[in-house]
């Protein structure tokens, strides 16, 4: 049985329309994600407070060293100039590696 040429062209047209609809939907989702992320980084006071809360979470009392961090950068970031003194398990300040757990006691609130 051969396919009716009208049905074949009709099926192709429907498939093309569905493809365009999916493409438009994906583009809309991407644009919504981009604009919703940029709206969080606003200059309003509430956004600034949320940002400070998020940043302060990185310097909780227990801190896990990340890739490329040094005791100096952690000290600057968290406001704790006495990391080595408060962490007796750190024998060599130059031997800090990702995953090392240290105690942070900030000297001031951010």
């Amino acid at each position: 049985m051969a396919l009716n040429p009208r049905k074949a062209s009709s099926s192709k047209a429907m498939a093309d329309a569905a493809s365009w609809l999916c493409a438009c939907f994906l583009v809309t989702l991407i644009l919504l994600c981009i604009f919703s992320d940029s709206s969080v980084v606003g200059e309003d006071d509430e956004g600034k407070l949320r940002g400070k809360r998020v940043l302060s979470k990185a310097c909780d009392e227990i801190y896990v060293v990340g890739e490329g961090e040094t005791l100096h950068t952690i000290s600057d970031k968290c406001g704790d100039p006495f990391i080595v003194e408060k962490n007796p398990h750190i024998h060599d300040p130059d031997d800090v590696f990702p995953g090392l757990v240290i105690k942070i006691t900030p000297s001031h609130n951010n």
Side-chain angles (χ1 to χ4, degrees):
M1 283 178 73
L3 269 175
N4 186 348
R6 283 187 185 172
K7 286 186 179 179
S9 66
S10 172
S11 301
K12 183 172 176 7
M14 286 182 67
D16 287 344
S19 295
W20 276 106
L21 183 63
C22 288
C24 291
F25 180 71
L26 288 174
V27 168
T28 303
L29 279 177
I30 291 171
L31 290 173
L32 284 173
C33 290
I34 290 171
F35 288 118
S36 68
D37 286 346
S38 66
S39 68
V40 172
V41 188
E43 291 296 321
D44 61 330
D45 290 335
E46 186 179 333
K48 289 178 184 177
L49 290 175
R50 270 186 272 142
K52 286 183 180 180
R53 274 188 249 138
V54 169
L55 288 176
S56 68
K57 290 282 185 193
C59 296
D60 284 339
E61 187 174 330
I62 302 299
Y63 187 90
V64 180
V65 177
E67 184 72 34
E69 289 186 310
T70 65
L71 290 181
H72 182 72
T73 59
I74 296 168
S75 175
D76 287 346
K77 177 180 177 181
C78 299
D80 185 0
F82 304 106
I83 293 175
V84 176
E85 290 83 356
K86 295 174 187 169
N87 291 279
H89 63 283
I90 300 176
H91 301 292
D92 182 3
D94 295 325
D95 188 25
V96 177
F97 52 90
L100 177 67
V101 177
I102 57 176
K103 180 181 177 186
I104 299 290
T105 310
S107 58
H108 63 289
N109 288 335
N110 290 337

